[in-house]
């Protein structure tokens, strides 16, 4: 019940207001008893610190504090009264017709016999949410927060959920291509510095972490999102005007970046151009990165004027050229492929209104940064919500809005790599700046005291290779919080420890750090309490704002693995036994089936050590069939690595098993195609003959 608490609060406030004046009046008297005389003033100047003056100063200070308190309470009361009066004024009163109908209904109810049996009311056909409609027509719950759309909020905008899923898929494809292009080399130190192990940009990591949340935000009823393409999806093509749309308002630039990113993401699997943009608009949207990033974006065509756009559409879409009746019918009924999205500024639209209107109808979806003279114009607010600028018609869809930094981060995952990226394994290279502070320092931290042999008295075992599990005397310990399990795996992967910033950035990327410190402390407190109550030890040490696992209280399989890697790379005479020890210490991928964004660089680093060991054993094996067996075992570790498949195909051809070689090539091509990558069999065959030339057996 709320009224006892409210009554106690009222009594407390009254006590604060009435108590101090009563005490001061009873002990000191009235605060003002007349102005001081000239003699009293001279005496105070000559001797200011007397008992009387000090008492008067303290009394004045007490009265001032009481006046400040009374002023604060008065302001709060007046604010509450004003809000109540405003609410009463907005309260809808029944019209005369409604009042008459209510009176008739009340009389009918009172006139019904008390023995009448009434059927329960049928439930409403649609759920009714408590709240009111604001001026924009959005449903607002009682606490004043607008219900969230089915999208992902990041630190630089908002993405529809389908666009966020495309970003996550594109990031996964980046890592798959890195796995495919890696060429095994002689195993090196545990702390690798491969430049292609750079983590994804922060915005991409935030999107991946948000999608991993099992409780997505609820969808707003009737809200449509401007997603993959203006013409690809029926829901979106129905929401966007086919004749094009102009974008104005504070969110126009951010919405144009959203159109650029979403259409390029949607068209990354198709060879055709998906976005055409003028050079000036691209520079305004992406800033200084436009010159370097633009040429690397697949599906993007940059033009200088609309005259080039006309020729471009005619050339790339001959079946949907300007003025073609059949092309127009194909566009309307959906049988033809959708044309690119054209993004121009208001000046180009005004000077070429007729050309732009023709393009919008026949070949392209047009977006104008400013008023669109040949179609509708929408006003976009910073959150992406759209409204007709003239106030007519219903509100448009919520558009994807992105800042320049956020858009650049998202475009990075679909951009072609630099023309000449440094090769992994080259000597004398510098450490990639994005890896600083992220990759564990195994050379300094993986010392002998981390891995014991013989009679080990430690009861706790942490397994992170494969399914992450904490064991006590061989029995799993229940970790209630997913974030707590992440903390354990992260600290296992960073034996030198991590500070609060590193932990919060890894586990909750993209969220304000000031709101995560308490969540981290709660997670760590719960984890420590669980381990202390179960095993009676303190597993996580905390000193100098760094958290680390206590090596004297737990054994970690990842530490044993890197210990084996270090032994294999520092041994004076390396033999097959050291490489086999590395393979035996690797039961599975790091935190298998977990999709935490920070895992990818460390997981790929660990996998590459094992691939290097398999390749080294295959190269050192004098028997062709034994070498093939090691290569096949390496393919089971990483079924996407092209070099392992190339060597295996070469070994099969050497053994004369051409059918098996063809079968392996086809299986590899199908596997990559199923994952979204499309290499050709000819490329694999060419690589086989170039890197591992063989003489076919007769």
């Amino acid at each position: 019940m709320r009224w006892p608490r409210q009554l106690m609060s009222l009594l407390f406030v009254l006590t604060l207001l009435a108590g101090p004046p009563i005490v001061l009046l009873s002990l000191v008297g009235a605060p003002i008893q007349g102005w001081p005389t000239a003699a009293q003033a001279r005496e105070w100047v000559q001797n200011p610190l007397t008992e009387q003056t000090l008492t008067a100063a303290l009394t004045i200070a007490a009265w001032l504090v009481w006046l400040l308190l009374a002023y604060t309470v008065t302001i709060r009361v007046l604010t509450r009264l004003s809000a109540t009066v405003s609410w009463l004024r907005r309260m809808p009163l029944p019209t005369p017709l409604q009042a008459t109908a209510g009176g008739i209904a009340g009389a009918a109810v009172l006139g019904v016999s008390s023995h009448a049996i009434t059927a329960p009311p049928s439930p409403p056909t649609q759920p009714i949410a408590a709240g009111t409609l604001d001026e924009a027509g959005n449903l607002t719950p009682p606490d004043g927060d607008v219900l969230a759309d089915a999208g992902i909020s990041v630190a630089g905008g908002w993405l529809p959920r389908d666009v966020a899923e495309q970003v996550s898929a594109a990031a996964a494809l980046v890592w798959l291509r890195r796995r495919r292009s890696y060429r095994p080399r002689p195993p090196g130190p545990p702390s690798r510095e491969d430049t292609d192990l750079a983590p994804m940009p922060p915005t991409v990591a935030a999107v991946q972490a948000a999608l991993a949340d099992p409780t997505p935000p609820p969808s707003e009823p009737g809200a449509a999102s401007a997603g993959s393409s203006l013409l690809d999806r029926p829901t979106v093509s129905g929401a966007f005007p086919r004749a094009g749309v102009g974008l104005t308002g504070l969110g126009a630039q951010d919405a144009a970046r959203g159109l650029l990113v979403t259409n390029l993401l949607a068209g990354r699997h198709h060879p055709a151009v998906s976005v055409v943009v003028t050079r000036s608009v691209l520079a305004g949207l992406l800033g200084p990165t436009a010159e370097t990033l633009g040429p690397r974006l697949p599906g993007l065509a940059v033009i200088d004027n609309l005259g080039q756009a006309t020729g471009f559409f005619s050339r790339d879409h001959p079946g949907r050229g300007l003025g073609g009746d059949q092309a127009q019918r194909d566009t309307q009924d959906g049988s033809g492929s959708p044309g690119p999205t054209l993004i121009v500024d208001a000046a180009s639209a005004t000077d070429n209104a007729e050309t732009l209107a023709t393009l919008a109808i026949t070949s392209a979806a047009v977006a104008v940064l400013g008023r669109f003279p040949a179609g509708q114009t929408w006003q976009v607010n910073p959150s992406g919500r759209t409204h007709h600028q003239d106030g007519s018609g219903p509100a448009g869809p919520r558009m994807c809005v992105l800042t320049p930094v956020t858009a650049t981060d998202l475009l990075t995952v679909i951009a072609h790599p630099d023309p000449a990226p440094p090769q992994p394994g080259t000597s004398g290279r510098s450490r990639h700046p994005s890896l600083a502070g992220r990759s564990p320092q195994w050379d300094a931290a993986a010392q002998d005291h981390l891995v014991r042999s013989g009679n080990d008295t430690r009861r706790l075992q942490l397994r992170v290779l494969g399914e992450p599990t904490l064991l006590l005397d061989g029995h799993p310990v229940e970790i209630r919080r997913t974030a707590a399990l992440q903390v354990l795996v992260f600290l296992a992967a960073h034996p030198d420890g991590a500070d609060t910033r590193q932990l919060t950035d890894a586990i909750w990327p993209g969220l304000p750090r000031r709101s995560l410190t308490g969540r981290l402390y709660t997670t760590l407190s719960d984890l420590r309490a669980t381990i202390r109550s179960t095993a009676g030890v303190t597993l996580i040490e905390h000193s100098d704002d760094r958290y680390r696992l206590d090596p004297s209280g737990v054994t970690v399989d990842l530490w044993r693995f890197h210990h084996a890697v270090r032994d294999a790379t520092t041994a004076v005479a390396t033999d097959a036994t050291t490489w086999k020890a590395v393979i035996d210490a690797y039961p599975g991928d790091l935190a298998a089936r977990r999709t935490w964004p920070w895992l990818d660089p460390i997981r790929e680093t660990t996998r590459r050590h094992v691939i290097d060991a398999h390749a080294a054993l295959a190269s050192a094996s004098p028997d062709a069939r034994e070498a093939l067996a090691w290569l096949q075992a390496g393919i089971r570790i990483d079924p996407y690595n092209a070099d392992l498949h190339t060597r295996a195909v070469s070994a099969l051809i050497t053994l004369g098993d051409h059918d098996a070689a063809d079968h392996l090539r086809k299986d590899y091509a199908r596997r990559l195609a199923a994952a979204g990558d499309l290499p050709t069999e000819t490329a694999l065959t060419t690589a086989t003959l170039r890197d591992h030339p063989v003489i076919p057996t007769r």
Side-chain angles (χ1 to χ4, degrees), residues 534-584:
T534 305
V537 297
T538 301
L539 178 60
I540 300 178
E541 298 178 341
H542 184 212
S543 61
D544 298 331
D545 194 33
R546 292 189 68 82
Y547 298 90
R548 62 188 294 268
L549 296 179
D550 182 9
S552 64
V554 64
T555 60
V556 183
D557 56 353
L558 183 61
W559 297 353
R560 291 186 180 276
F561 171 80
H562 282 283
H563 185 79
V565 172
R566 191 185 58 169
D567 287 347
T569 56
T570 58
V572 177
T574 303
D575 56 9
T577 304
T578 57
W579 305 134
K580 291 178 181 178
V582 173
I583 296 173
D584 293 339

Side-chain angles (χ1 to χ4, degrees), residues 45 49 142 372 487 570 692:
V45 171
L49 298 179
F372 186 32
V487 168
T570 58
H692 306 281

Side-chain angles (χ1 to χ4, degrees), residues 328-415:
Q328 185 171 351
R329 287 193 295 270
D330 290 344
T331 303
Q332 292 173 354
D333 62 16
S335 60
S337 60
T341 299
L342 177 63
I343 306 177
V344 297
D345 54 11
S348 300
T350 303
D351 297 338
N352 304 271
E354 184 177 352
T355 301
L356 203 61
T358 306
L359 286 174
I361 296 175
T362 59
S363 302
V366 176
V368 179
L369 285 175
R371 285 185 172 274
F372 186 32
Q376 299 183 20
T377 298
W378 287 353
Q379 187 172 5
V380 188
N381 63 15
S383 65
R385 301 187 184 278
T386 59
H387 307 281
H388 289 267
Q389 192 169 24
D390 56 2
S392 63
R398 184 176 184 182
M399 300 183 66
C400 175
V401 284
L402 303 170
T403 62
V405 175
T406 305
T408 302
D409 284 353
L410 298 182
L411 291 174
T412 302
V413 299
I414 62 173

Side-chain angles (χ1 to χ4, degrees), residues 429-612:
R429 63 184 181 274
S430 60
R431 185 174 180 83
H432 195 284
S434 61
L435 293 177
R438 293 178 179 267
S439 183
Q441 303 298 322
W442 290 103
D443 295 334
Q447 303 298 330
D448 291 336
H449 71 276
L450 293 178
V451 182
R452 297 179 183 177
S453 59
N455 296 325
D456 197 336
T457 60
R458 290 173 290 183
R459 302 172 58 196
L460 284 174
Q461 300 177 7
L462 180 58
R463 297 178 182 175
V464 296
L465 295 176
E467 178 65 23
T469 308
L470 180 64
L471 301 174
L472 175 63
D473 296 333
H475 301 285
V477 177
E478 182 183 3
I479 306 297
R480 293 187 294 268
R481 296 174 179 263
T482 304
L485 187 62
Q486 274 203 75
V487 168
L488 284 178
V489 179
F490 190 88
L491 294 180
H494 295 77
D496 51 336
D499 56 22
T500 302
R501 179 188 59 82
Q502 292 171 321
L503 285 172
T504 53
D505 288 349
I507 299 175
W508 299 287
L511 298 180
R513 192 177 301 158
R514 61 181 180 274
S515 64
L516 298 176
T517 304
R519 188 185 302 184
L520 177 63
Y521 290 159
T522 302
T523 300
L524 290 171
S525 177
D526 181 78
L527 178 60
R528 284 174 164 177
T530 299
I531 298 175
R532 191 181 302 111
S533 62
T534 305
V537 297
T538 301
L539 178 60
I540 300 178
E541 298 178 341
H542 184 212
S543 61
D544 298 331
D545 194 33
R546 292 189 68 82
Y547 298 90
R548 62 188 294 268
L549 296 179
D550 182 9
S552 64
V554 64
T555 60
V556 183
D557 56 353
L558 183 61
W559 297 353
R560 291 186 180 276
F561 171 80
H562 282 283
H563 185 79
V565 172
R566 191 185 58 169
D567 287 347
T569 56
T570 58
V572 177
T574 303
D575 56 9
T577 304
T578 57
W579 305 134
K580 291 178 181 178
V582 173
I583 296 173
D584 293 339
Y586 185 81
D589 290 341
L590 176 64
R593 297 189 301 274
R594 305 290 174 167
T595 57
W596 305 325
W598 61 267
L599 270 176
D600 290 319
I602 307 175
R603 177 185 285 162
E604 180 61 18
T605 299
T606 309
R607 185 188 292 115
R608 288 184 179 184
H609 287 307
V610 186
I611 295 175
D612 292 343

Side-chain angles (χ1 to χ4, degrees), residues 55-148:
T55 302
L58 292 176
T59 303
I60 294 173
W63 278 109
L64 290 176
V65 171
W66 178 83
L67 287 174
L68 178 61
L69 176 63
Y71 172 79
T72 304
V73 172
T74 303
I75 293 299
R76 291 295 300 273
V77 170
L78 292 177
T79 303
R80 288 289 185 88
L81 289 177
S82 176
T84 304
V85 172
S86 300
W87 177 78
L88 290 176
R89 289 178 178 176
R90 292 196 305 266
M91 179 182 294
L93 298 177
T95 63
L97 182 59
Q98 291 174 336
T100 304
I104 296 175
V109 170
L110 294 177
V112 175
S113 173
S114 60
H115 298 286
I117 300 176
T118 59
S122 59
T125 56
Q126 295 181 352
I128 300 175
T132 59
L133 290 176
D134 59 12
E135 296 179 357
N138 300 315
L139 186 61
T140 306
D143 58 359
D145 296 330
V146 178
L147 294 178

Side-chain angles (χ1 to χ4, degrees), residues 37-319:
T37 62
Q40 290 176 339
R42 285 193 302 271
E43 182 181 358
W44 178 79
V45 171
Q46 294 174 358
N47 190 12
L49 298 179
T50 62
E51 181 179 357
Q52 184 178 3
T53 57
L54 290 176
T55 302
L58 292 176
T59 303
I60 294 173
W63 278 109
L64 290 176
V65 171
W66 178 83
L67 287 174
L68 178 61
L69 176 63
Y71 172 79
T72 304
V73 172
T74 303
I75 293 299
R76 291 295 300 273
V77 170
L78 292 177
T79 303
R80 288 289 185 88
L81 289 177
S82 176
T84 304
V85 172
S86 300
W87 177 78
L88 290 176
R89 289 178 178 176
R90 292 196 305 266
M91 179 182 294
L93 298 177
T95 63
L97 182 59
Q98 291 174 336
T100 304
I104 296 175
V109 170
L110 294 177
V112 175
S113 173
S114 60
H115 298 286
I117 300 176
T118 59
S122 59
T125 56
Q126 295 181 352
I128 300 175
T132 59
L133 290 176
D134 59 12
E135 296 179 357
N138 300 315
L139 186 61
T140 306
D143 58 359
D145 296 330
V146 178
L147 294 178
D149 293 300
I152 303 298
S153 295
V154 293
W158 179 88
L159 296 85
R161 191 170 183 86
D162 58 342
V163 178
E165 291 172 352
Q166 292 176 3
V167 171
S168 181
L173 189 60
V174 169
W175 282 108
L176 186 145
R177 287 172 176 167
R178 292 177 178 180
R179 294 171 61 178
R180 185 196 67 184
S181 60
Y182 174 69
R183 302 185 66 180
R185 63 175 189 262
S191 184
R192 306 178 73 113
E193 296 183 356
D194 298 351
T195 54
D196 64 335
L197 291 178
M200 292 292 105
T203 305
V204 179
V207 171
Q208 291 176 307
L211 289 177
D213 189 352
T215 56
S219 300
E220 180 176 335
S225 61
S228 305
S229 171
L230 296 186
L231 297 176
D232 277 348
R233 299 170 55 210
T235 55
V236 178
S237 63
F240 277 86
R242 185 166 296 277
V245 66
L247 303 176
T248 60
L250 297 177
Q253 292 278 342
D254 294 344
R257 295 186 195 95
L259 288 177
L260 177 69
V261 171
T262 53
N263 282 272
L264 290 177
L265 283 169
R268 60 192 173 92
H269 295 300
H270 306 287
V273 171
S274 54
V275 177
V276 180
V277 62
T278 58
R279 194 174 305 277
S280 59
V281 169
L282 184 64
L285 295 180
L286 299 184
T289 62
E291 291 295 329
T292 56
L293 184 61
R296 296 168 48 205
L297 293 174
L300 177 66
V302 183
I303 59 176
D304 294 318
N305 51 64
L306 280 182
Q308 296 178 359
T310 303
F312 171 81
F313 285 110
S314 300
R315 180 177 64 254
D316 285 326
H317 299 277

